[in-house]
Amino acid sequence: EKKPFVVGMLLVGPYNDRGWSQAHYDAGLYLERKLPDAKMLYLDKVNPADRPGLTLPQLVDDLVAKGARLIIANSDDMTDGAREAAKQHPEVTFIHVSGDDVLTGKAPLNLGNIMGRMEYGKMMAGFVAALTTKTGKIGYLGPLINEETRRLAASCYLGAAYGWEKVRKRPLSELKFKVSWIGFWFNIPGVTADPTQVANRFFDSGHDVVVSGIDTTEALVVAMQKRRAGRQVWAIPYDYEGACEGADEVCLGVPYFNWGPAYLQTARAVKDGGWKQAWEWNGPDWKDINNHDTSAVGFLVGPALSRAANEELARFTRGLATGKINLFRGPLFYQDGSIFLKEGETATDQQVWYMKQLLKGMEGASSPK
Amino acid sequence: MRIEFQDIHKYYGRVRANAGISLVLEPGRIYGLLGENGAGKTTLMRMLAGHTQPSRGRILFDGESVGRLSPSRALGMGVGMLYQDPQDFPALTVWENFRLGGRRRDKRNAIQRLQELGDRFHFRLPPEERATELTVGERQQLDLLRLLDLGANVLILDEPTTGISVTQKETLFAAMNQLAKDQGRTIIFVTHKLAEAEELCQEILVLRQGRLAGQLLPPFRSDELVDLMFGSESGAGGEAGPKLQPNKNPFLSLEHAQLVGEKYALSNASLSIRPGEIVGLAGLEGNGQELLLRSLAGLTRVAKGRIIMGGEQLQGLPYVRFRQAGIHFFPAARLEEGLFPDLSLVEHFQLAFPTARGNPVERLSEEGIRRFRIHAQPFASARTLSGGNQQRLLLALIPKQIKLLLLEHPTRGLDQGAGKLVWHHLAERCRQDTSLIFSSADLEEIKTHSHRILVFYNRRLVADRPSQSISVEEMGRLMAGQATAA
Amino acid sequence: MDFLALTLAGILSAGAPIVLATLGETLTERAGVINLSLDGTILLAAMTGFVLALLSGNPWLGLLASTAVGATSAAAVALLGLALARSQLAVGFILTLLCRDLAYFLGHNYARQLGPELPVWSIPGIRDLPFVGPALGYQSPVVYLSLLLTFFLWWWLFSTRAGLELRAVGEQPWAAFTRGIRVQRLRITYTLLGGALVGMAGGAFSLAVKPGWGRPQGAEGAGWIALAIVIFGGWHPLRAALGAYLFAALQVLGIHLQELFPMLPASLFQVAPFPVMILTLLLVNVGTANWFRDLTLRYPGLKKWLNRWQVTAPAALGRDFRPEKEA
Amino acid sequence: MFSKTSLATSLGRLVAALVLALVLTTLIVLIAGAPPLQTLAILVVGGLGSAAKLAQAAAVWIPLVLCSSALLLTFAAGLWNIGIEGQIILGAVFATGFLRPFPDGGSFLLVMGALMAGMIGGALWALAAGLLRTWGRVHEIFGGLGLNFVALGLTLWLIFGPWKRPGIASMSGTEPLHPTLWLEALGGSSLSPVSLLLALTVFLLVAFVLSSTQWGLRLKAVGQNQDAALLFGLNPQVRILEAMVGCGALAGLAGALQVVGVYHRLLPAISSNYGYTALLVAMLASFRSQIVPVLCFFFAVLNVGSIQLPLQLKLDSSLAGVIQGVLVLSFFLVQGFEERFRVLRRTE
Ligand SMILES: Nc1ncnc2c1ncn2[C@@H]1O[C@H](COP(=O)(O)OP(=O)(O)OP(=O)(O)O)[C@@H](O)[C@H]1O
Ligand SMILES: Nc1ncnc2c1ncn2[C@@H]1O[C@H](COP(=O)(O)OP(=O)(O)OP(=O)(O)O)[C@@H](O)[C@H]1O
Ligand SMILES: [Mg+2]
Ligand SMILES: [Mg+2]
């Protein structure tokens, strides 16, 4: 019998969280389907609150002992652990998702980074939010504050601003875009702010669309509750293609990751011995952003999105695809008024990746206190 | 209702609280139940009220056995009991206390009834006040009204007159007479106060050491009662202690002290003690002697006045300072207060004599065990000792060099021989100028061993006399409030 | 205005499970029993309620199951802590850990699934009123239940015969026994009833306030907070409910406060109930300390001042009662 | 609380409890739809199966033994030191705080200093609970519990506030310590021989102190009967504080070792619930210090082995905690029934 090609996966949240971790888990299943001798071994809830007393290298030891040759760590919190483990197991290939060790040069040779260009997904989310809102107030349920989360929130804002100004033809000053950070990727009682409460607060203070930037579905759940209490509100979840399910009345759509193609490619390369360390930042397949075999990020339109808005979204997407619309083009200012992009300047990948602050026009903290 | 006790026995572990009591109570009469502390009065009554079950024997109501008596069943039979320590609910209001376990009534109704009854006895009980705010006497009144309201056929009053005034007492007695005579109820009146019993009762029952010692009809004679209650033969009598050496000056004095205990206070107590002196405290439990002992030991607070020992003022200082000054306290509750149930004898010796280490401790323990004739292995735990042996262990643990030894019931539970042994040791200590203050329920013991005797009654010191000038009978009368100090 | 009403609605909703748990524990402790297991029990009940609702499609069945789980956990306290006279605190503590882990273990595969929720009721007369309408008109049944129960228990505890007996048992079980009250039976009954309410709190979480199951569910820590609030509430249903709503307000408003005062750490609002609990306990108990008594002898004013703050625990709280042992 | 019984009796009870717990666990596993035998086998093999696993179990054993030993002190004095979690955390906080001024590392003396600092931190936190108990009459369970949450809040504030890593504040904790400040671990594991030695020493020391010193005897006396202890001049209030402080110091040491030996930083969940687990151990041991290391090892194996459940059976790891809890409850059940029957027999 042939020995399977074991892929170890360390998920920060539950494998069935209908969010970030499940997107990775599903990609693992995709990998098993496409690469017949691949076998996924996963461990979920790898975070200090759920698995106190365990360190990432210990878990990696376990996976390696079970034959893993490729190990994927899916949280930015695993940076140090992944690096340490990679050093201890040079014969195994490591992918640290959302990290930038390769970029900074801290990564050992067997550690690569993969991330999806979710900026586009968030732009679309912001765009539909702006087209849908009646109050002109959009809430963004943010996780913790770092470069990644700042750039995603900013992208969402840029999409919203575009929709508000260019499509709805309203002055930008009338659009309120507020970011609230809970402190982590998901709720940890007693540690983070409670996302249910934050979402409630958004809706109760007149925000009628809440865009989720966290790994779990509280925004959607709360929106559903408000609906049942007779309020006109919407929400946009995040991460996982199936996130809208069961929330038809309120879900405007979901920007999601499709990790399958990248994992498949990496696994093949590792198996054939042709893997090269890289920092990959994969964009959507503009021909069909919802193609499971090619597109790294997508946006699945939700049932609650109006037909008109849907058509506008298609136009917007085409604009992004052709490059006619580039929202990261100057002039853009940081929240404190300093210049992010000069008039006519287009942001480099690095500038976007290392987003230093929220943008002017957004409400909310730019950096941890 | 006619009540018959048939050969009632009640054991608490190894304590025989009641030992074969047979007795008939007829309706329409007032019975007095007398006996020294621990004679078993309360225990007997509690069995009647269904609060506890006899270990052996049965209680018949109108000739019929009703099976296992529970409080609710006893209440159903019409037996109501008023406890010597009020069994009530301090945190609840007066009317709630009144209603609890009583008849179904709404609040207004309950308050109205309470006031009606209260007016009849001139008890003034504010219905909305919490019971904590009441005095012990008022709480007893409240409980009494509750029982009257219940319409008990058999009314047990366990020392109901400790907290009420003379006029209230008269009202109460009148009511009791009325209840018994006009309504044919049985009333059992437990008391230590001979005069009250003599005044009120148609029959007096005397318990002594768990047995029925006598059943008297009027006219009652106080000396006979005292004799029956306290006995004339002595448990731990024997040889008298060493003579008090004259011309030694007092080394300890208590000056106009107000002593505050958990339940009551003792005011204006003054006392001085000479080296080698033995002072016996006579009095029924709860009359002040235990408070005096504990205050001198530094275990309860002294609100006013001073305790002076060797020129140093001790009041207000923590207990350890009293210990350092050479005072040692010997508690009555051996296992509860004096010993560590799961530690071995050796460990007790080690704790009591910390300077001795290693092997010497074992030698010390063996010596102690031998000298005090403790029947136990050195490594047995204190819990497994018999009561008497626990007592002896406690004695063996008294440090060598002390100036004042305060003992609660030093020979309680000891047989005669052991009692003699204890007093032999204590006398030895007195010869070395240790002073002794002890309480005892055995008046003969007090008389035999003390140089001086203090008698307590009603939370007051009623007599302070040299031992020669007071007889056992007089002590008994004083304790029962029969005479005033000459 | 609307915002205020909606915030109030949010507080009522967030507070509902805490109120239920607090009322349940108040009931139990009034009978003289401490059920320390709240934090775990709530989770186990939340999980069971959600899973049963999911499997049956009926959220009411789920709520019933939660209630049953709460009573079952309380039954363990009753068996070990009352019938077998183990330390109630120890048993409760172990149950806390055990129930929590059991919830995570058995609920593993049901995490983050969309399941049925209790409906939102809109109350005809109320929903159209200004202010009151948005605050109170559209709420989950558990919110209405928690409000009703608060007043019901208040009335019941202080104005009925059964309530009087309950308090009596928690104050002086021996005295209650002598008055023909069946102490042990009442204690067990109220332990179970209180536990049932605690279980219902779990259901209120997973079927209404924070619908769904997961690790974390979001109800973690709520049990400890409820225990603290019972003390803060002085074992009185109204005060306890008030405490629970205060806590909910702290949670809801904490989000605002945090934005207004970014230097305040987020965890401050999560931790706040506990120092309050310690302080309350200090006020409750310090009166019995010897040094304090000496102090009040000297400064009688102190005692009066303290009395104003003081609540008293049921006198027999956590104590074993067995007539055969005899107090 | 517990009464002292012979070693044989407590072992007998333990075995009976183990059997009962096994039956209950099997039931629970069946409810979860998993094969009970295989599940238990995986648990045990997962914790014992290889040298690496053994090293992991030993690494868990260290804080457990430290905390259980610490709790022996407070249990001896009749105290329920639930606050031990907070004391571990404060130990970790103090140790981290002590090492923060040395981002470029330093000598082993600094590590020793951090351990000392950790002990002080834990001791102070325990002292707070102790004073609340002796001065304020606040039961140590509630005082300790409250302080646990305060300690948790404190670490979170530090990690997300003043001690956050430059630019980010995250659950992954503070900036890692300089490697020269790490306790050396056995190749590839997080098992540090120094910690192991320390834990063993502490356990032996506590066992010795409790069984053979005057102070230990005094603690036990206070735990048995405070009234008598007062009469014996043992100063029970002071003894209680001493027991708390001693326990806190050892818990703090455990916390400090987690920082310098295992995580090399301050984490939000640095105590890993070891304090609570140790409480279970101490209850099971009911004062018998001899069986503490064995029980700790058993619990550590369960903890380590439990990680195999999600990997191999798609079960949640919390089964380990379930087994531990069920075991202690079973123990109580056995003990309670036994005493019940003894009372019945006596009254007949
Ligand atoms: N619950 C109990 N447990 C153990 N021993 C008890 C209990 N109740 C009473 N005893 C013992 O039984 C004996 C008789 O006690 P009882 O209370 O009946 O005496 P009493 O005659 O009422 O005395 P007093 O005049 O002091 O009230 C005493 O030795 C007492 O210590
Ligand atoms: N719990 C126990 N465990 C072991 N042995 C016990 C226990 N209780 C009593 N014993 C033993 O039973 C015997 C009888 O005890 P008991 O207290 O009835 O003696 P006693 O006749 O009252 O003696 P004393 O006159 O000294 O009080 C003693 O030898 C004692 O050691
Ligand atoms: Mg009596
Ligand atoms: Mg005897």
Side-chain angles (χ1 to χ4, degrees), chain B residues 14 383-389 392 413 415:
Chain B
R14 287 165 266 153
R383 186 193 293 283
T384 62
L385 299 188
S386 77
N389 283 319
R392 281 176 253 195
D415 55 47

Side-chain angles (χ1 to χ4, degrees), chain A residues 14-18 42 44-45 49-51 178-180 186-194 196-198 201 203-205 216 218 221 224-225 228-231 245-247 369, chain C residues 2-3 6-7 10 14 104 108-114 117-120 138 208-211 215-221 251-252 255-256 258-259 262-267 270:
Chain A
Y15 76 97
N16 51 2
D17 68 353
R18 304 173 67 77
Y42 73 93
D44 61 350
K45 303 177 213 167
D50 282 327
R51 300 204 185 281
K178 178 167 179 167
V179 184
S180 272
F186 45 80
N187 181 29
I188 301 177
V191 176
T192 61
D194 182 348
T196 305
Q197 290 305 336
V198 177
R201 202 280 318 256
F203 289 125
D204 291 348
S205 55
T216 46
E218 280 86 353
V221 169
M224 286 290 284
Q225 287 182 324
R228 266 183 240 128
R231 315 250 314 272
E245 259 167 56
K369 310 140 250 173
Chain C
D2 226 25
F3 172 60
L6 289 173
T7 306
Y104 289 148
H108 181 57
N109 287 319
Y110 301 96
R112 301 288 160 210
Q113 301 205 16
L114 283 181
E117 279 175 49
L118 291 170
V120 170
Y138 303 86
V209 176
K210 291 184 178 177
R215 177 176 184 170
Q217 201 280 336
E220 285 82 357
Q251 271 192 319
V252 170
I255 311 276
H256 296 269
Q258 230 179 311
E259 268 162 29
M263 57 283 182
L264 294 181
S267 47
Q270 312 281 344

Side-chain angles (χ1 to χ4, degrees), chain B residues 12 15 17 36-43 84 159 192 285, chain C residues 326:
Chain B
Y12 286 113
V15 175
E36 61 180 336
N37 287 133
K41 308 180 290 294
T42 301
T43 304
Q84 67 189 94
E159 304 188 31
H192 292 291
E285 238 152 74
Chain C
E326 315 211 349

Side-chain angles (χ1 to χ4, degrees), chain A residues 50-353:
Chain A
D50 282 327
R51 300 204 185 281
L54 278 173
T55 61
L56 203 77
Q58 283 174 6
L59 301 178
V60 167
D61 288 348
D62 223 321
L63 292 175
V64 171
K66 294 198 162 54
R69 290 173 53 201
L70 168 63
I71 288 178
I72 299 169
N74 89 335
S75 169
D76 78 325
D77 256 12
M78 299 174 182
T79 312
D80 300 323
R83 201 187 300 145
E84 210 177 305
K87 283 181 189 150
Q88 286 170 11
H89 298 279
E91 75 290 356
V92 179
T93 305
F94 287 82
I95 298 294
H96 179 224
V97 175
S98 83
D100 61 359
D101 272 9
V102 176
L103 216 52
T104 57
K106 286 185 195 158
L109 280 175
N110 56 334
L111 173 67
N113 295 127
I114 295 182
M115 187 58 189
R117 290 184 189 262
M118 181 45 77
E119 291 65 35
Y120 293 113
K122 288 289 187 187
M123 287 173 188
M124 296 173 203
F127 183 80
V128 298
L131 291 196
T132 307
T133 177
K134 296 204 158 60
T135 60
K137 292 168 92 173
I138 299 171
Y140 188 88
L141 186 60
L144 46 93
I145 308 179
N146 64 19
E147 286 139 354
E148 175 189 346
T149 60
R150 280 195 291 258
R151 86 179 165 253
L152 292 178
S155 306
C156 185
Y157 170 70
L158 289 175
Y162 185 87
W164 190 254
E165 251 187 336
K166 299 280 157 43
V167 182
R168 292 186 73 175
K169 311 277 191 231
R170 310 268 293 270
L172 196 52
S173 57
E174 283 176 16
L175 177 70
K176 295 269 175 288
F177 189 98
K178 178 167 179 167
V179 184
S180 272
W181 308 102
I182 65 161
F184 194 59
W185 291 102
F186 45 80
N187 181 29
I188 301 177
V191 176
T192 61
D194 182 348
T196 305
Q197 290 305 336
V198 177
N200 258 308
R201 202 280 318 256
F202 271 137
F203 289 125
D204 291 348
S205 55
H207 299 78
D208 59 352
V209 183
V210 172
V211 182
S212 174
I214 64 173
D215 289 354
T216 46
T217 52
E218 280 86 353
L220 210 57
V221 169
V222 173
M224 286 290 284
Q225 287 182 324
K226 299 286 169 192
R227 264 294 156 134
R228 266 183 240 128
R231 315 250 314 272
Q232 279 247 307
V233 296
W234 297 269
I236 301 177
Y238 177 41
D239 286 330
Y240 172 64
E241 192 181 358
C244 278
E245 259 167 56
D248 290 357
E249 302 98 307
V250 295
C251 192
L252 294 177
V254 55
Y256 66 91
F257 287 101
N258 181 34
W259 302 100
Y263 286 179
L264 182 60
Q265 196 191 358
T266 309
R268 286 210 174 107
V270 171
K271 206 174 151 216
D272 306 342
W275 183 83
K276 284 264 153 26
Q277 182 182 51
W279 176 73
E280 291 179 37
W281 199 9
N282 304 316
D285 175 6
W286 288 115
K287 286 197 281 301
D288 175 7
I289 59 171
N290 291 321
N291 185 329
H292 287 175
D293 298 320
T294 53
S295 191
V297 294
F299 185 91
L300 197 68
V301 170
L305 192 66
S306 71
R307 169 145 347 137
N310 203 344
E311 281 162 14
E312 288 296 341
L313 175 65
R315 203 168 304 140
F316 179 64
T317 311
R318 271 199 304 282
L320 289 173
T322 56
K324 243 194 289 184
I325 302 175
N326 185 344
L327 297 181
F328 280 114
R329 178 174 296 149
L332 283 179
F333 300 92
Y334 281 130
Q335 209 179 25
D336 66 356
S338 60
I339 295 177
F340 169 44
L341 295 172
K342 287 196 287 287
E343 178 81 47
E345 183 186 359
T346 308
T348 63
D349 273 0
Q350 296 250 351
Q351 273 176 308
V352 175
W353 184 268

Side-chain angles (χ1 to χ4, degrees), chain B residues 262-318:
Chain B
E262 289 289 331
K263 292 192 182 133
Y264 61 92
L266 185 71
S267 297
N268 202 13
S270 294
L271 181 69
S272 58
I273 311 282
R274 283 181 288 174
E277 190 173 22
I278 303 178
V279 181
L281 308 182
L284 293 160
E285 238 152 74
N287 277 290
Q289 64 275 35
E290 52 288 81
L291 197 52
L292 180 71
L293 283 174
R294 279 168 190 265
S295 301
L296 285 176
L299 289 167
T300 50
R301 271 195 313 287
V302 179
K304 282 196 207 113
R306 306 192 290 176
I307 300 175
I308 299 177
M309 182 162 166
E312 193 191 2
Q313 293 199 15
L314 290 178
Q315 76 276 8
L317 294 180

